[in-house]
Amino acid sequence: QVRLVESGGGLVQAGGSLRLSCLASGIILRNNAMAWYRQAPGRHRELVARIGRAGETSTADSVKGRFTISRDNARSQVHLQMYNMKPEDTAVYYCNTDPYSNNWGPGTQVTVSS
């Protein structure tokens, strides 16, 4: 059974930083492209950053230059480092495969105050 558990969210002021982590179980992480998604109130879930099996990365235009995704296959973890955060980054953040499966975790709330 695939289980994804996100952590590291919290309240941060604009311009601040946070590092999110995702611990995956029931899945061989190195065999999957992984991604971070987020969903703000009243909005659809969107892909924020993606990392391929070979480590190649891409990010959404809205976070380009501010967010960095990484993976640690040995520890079955995926991370999202966020810098220079903005109030519009406020959302619940989730990790999942790319393309995503139905195995969504609880997510972690990120709130950026202005």
Side-chain angles (χ1 to χ4, degrees), residues 2 4 27 37 45 95-104:
V2 177
L4 302 165
I27 184 176
Y37 303 81
R45 194 171 294 174
C95 73
N96 206 323
T97 55
D98 179 39
Y100 59 80
S101 70
N102 290 326
N103 298 304
W104 294 100

Side-chain angles (χ1 to χ4, degrees), residues 9 12 19 23 33 40 43 46 92 95 108:
V12 63
R19 185 174 187 255
L23 179 62
R43 303 192 66 174
E46 62 173 344
V92 179
C95 73
T108 186

Side-chain angles (χ1 to χ4, degrees), residues 42-63:
R43 303 192 66 174
H44 294 296
R45 194 171 294 174
E46 62 173 344
L47 189 149
V48 174
R50 177 191 185 278
I51 185 164
R53 291 183 294 173
E56 68 278 20
T57 64
S58 61
T59 52
D61 287 344
S62 58
V63 305

Side-chain angles (χ1 to χ4, degrees), residues 46-92:
E46 62 173 344
L47 189 149
V48 174
R50 177 191 185 278
I51 185 164
R53 291 183 294 173
E56 68 278 20
T57 64
S58 61
T59 52
D61 287 344
S62 58
V63 305
K64 200 171 293 294
R66 301 189 297 117
F67 289 13
T68 302
I69 187 172
S70 61
R71 63 192 300 157
D72 184 341
N73 291 334
R75 291 180 170 81
S76 201
Q77 293 183 352
V78 184
H79 303 286
L80 185 67
Q81 179 68 56
M82 305 183 289
Y83 297 104
N84 190 23
M85 298 181 70
K86 303 176 180 181
E88 51 264 43
D89 295 324
T90 295
V92 179

Side-chain angles (χ1 to χ4, degrees), residues 101-114:
S101 70
N102 290 326
N103 298 304
W104 294 100
T108 186
Q109 175 71 48
V110 171
T111 302
V112 184
S113 62
S114 57

